[in-house]
Amino acid sequence: MGVVNGLSVDIEEWFQVGAFERTIARADWEALESRVASNTATVLDLFAETGVKATFFTLGWVAQRQPALIRRIVAEGHEIASHGWDHARVFTLDAARFRDDLRRTRAALEDAGGVKVTGYRAPSFSIDARTPWAHQVLAEEGYTYSSSVAPIAHDHYGWRESPRYAWRPLRDAPLIELPVTVAELAGRRLATGGGFFRLLPGALTDFAVRQVNRAGQPAIFYFHPWEVDPDQPRVAEAPLRSRVRHYSRLGAMAGKLRGLVQRHHWGRVDAIAARETTP
């Protein structure tokens, strides 16, 4: 077997995404149709059919309302990890509010799943140069790894100066940061997960996975359950760019995922973090 890569799913409702954060108010979330359980069930079925395990970075807001979903994820051998409470970007918080967010989310996840939560992913990969305190807080709260950095320059997120592969952000703590995988072409870094995977040819992600595997490194791939749901409600009031990014090629996503999962070796992100911390 070749390098085992990290397969991850960011669990959030279709209306909790960054693309709609200025269009749909948090106060309106409870009145909107919940589709996260059925969409995640589709993903779980696909993983069961292909025999892979993954990490599900989950909002505390979702775990509080869908405990049966969390129990199913755990029962099927996948990892539950934190995605924050309600998709607030880390750079919109201060250290104290970030700590509160971590604690509240972990309590909801562990209450629902009955397992310890040791991994974290920032909403919209929002740990970057603006949050010099974030990794320290994560370490103090007992997290063993973070997968919260996108090592690219992008209009929505990114920390181009980050190392491309696993790195230790703190000198006095074993916390590992596992950036999501990017492809390198002609000195440029290109994103490959989520909407990029959905919108661009699948060959780009295959290239990125093989590129990092040839360097002896695991790829870290991510997507969202709402991306396999072509029938989700449309938000006509959202900006055109947001609508194009969010809704394009939803119907093709499940098939592309199946192919990607079958072409490479995949596993849970906590197992990759454990290997990185083993001397």
Side-chain angles (χ1 to χ4, degrees):
M1 179 182 290
V3 177
V4 178
N5 304 290
L7 183 59
S8 62
V9 190
D10 292 357
I11 304 293
E12 59 206 39
E13 290 277 10
W14 60 271
F15 49 78
Q16 295 174 314
V17 300
F20 299 150
E21 64 189 355
R22 292 185 176 89
T23 306
I24 300 175
R26 279 174 166 73
D28 296 332
W29 284 359
E30 293 288 0
L32 298 173
E33 178 187 2
S34 174
R35 301 175 71 89
V36 69
S38 59
N39 292 340
T40 306
T42 298
V43 172
L44 287 166
D45 290 344
L46 187 155
F47 288 173
E49 292 167 13
T50 52
V52 299
K53 303 302 180 188
T55 292
F56 288 73
F57 293 100
T58 306
L59 293 182
W61 191 97
V62 171
Q64 185 183 66
R65 291 160 177 78
Q66 302 285 348
L69 174 63
I70 308 306
R71 289 194 293 272
R72 179 181 172 187
I73 291 170
V74 172
E76 295 189 9
H78 305 289
E79 179 193 8
I80 284 288
S82 174
H83 198 34
W85 183 259
D86 61 357
H87 217 262
R89 301 185 196 222
V90 177
F91 57 70
T92 68
L93 309 173
D94 59 23
R97 291 170 60 202
F98 181 52
R99 191 184 303 275
D100 289 344
D101 185 276
L102 289 175
R103 291 179 177 179
R104 184 184 186 193
T105 303
R106 173 182 260 165
L109 294 172
E110 293 185 348
D111 285 350
V115 292
K116 186 176 181 180
V117 170
T118 63
Y120 174 78
R121 173 168 290 156
S124 300
F125 302 103
S126 53
I127 287 181
D128 56 28
R130 291 169 288 185
T131 60
W133 38 262
H135 285 118
Q136 184 66 48
V137 174
L138 283 165
E140 291 170 356
E141 290 300 310
Y143 285 84
T144 61
Y145 78 89
S146 163
S147 182
S148 301
V149 171
I152 59 169
H154 183 261
D155 66 337
H156 189 53
Y157 53 75
W159 190 0
R160 181 60 176 80
E161 296 73 26
S162 164
R164 188 179 175 196
Y165 304 129
W167 56 287
R168 290 178 183 266
L170 304 169
R171 293 182 179 179
D172 58 350
L175 179 77
I176 293 289
E177 175 62 51
L178 295 167
V180 290
T181 292
V182 296
E184 279 199 345
L185 285 169
R188 295 184 60 197
R189 288 181 177 180
L190 305 175
T192 59
F196 300 97
F197 174 74
R198 180 164 38 93
L199 295 169
L200 299 174
L204 176 63
T205 299
D206 285 330
F207 170 81
V209 172
R210 294 187 180 112
Q211 186 180 61
V212 301
N213 287 173
R214 283 196 299 271
Q217 299 289 336
I220 305 293
F221 177 79
Y222 77 97
F223 70 98
H224 312 85
W226 56 261
E227 293 186 275
V228 301
D229 181 11
D231 299 322
Q232 65 187 269
R234 267 41 180 181
V235 182
E237 303 82 9
L240 177 60
R241 176 181 287 189
S242 296
R243 284 182 280 133
V244 169
R245 286 177 172 176
H246 188 85
Y247 295 121
S248 294
R249 295 185 56 77
L250 293 174
M253 186 64 170
K256 291 185 74 173
L257 275 173
R258 183 180 296 276
L260 182 75
V261 167
Q262 292 174 331
R263 288 191 296 272
H264 307 280
H265 301 300
W266 300 99
R268 293 167 40 145
V269 180
D270 58 349
I272 290 174
R275 289 196 293 273
E276 293 292 335
T277 56
T278 300

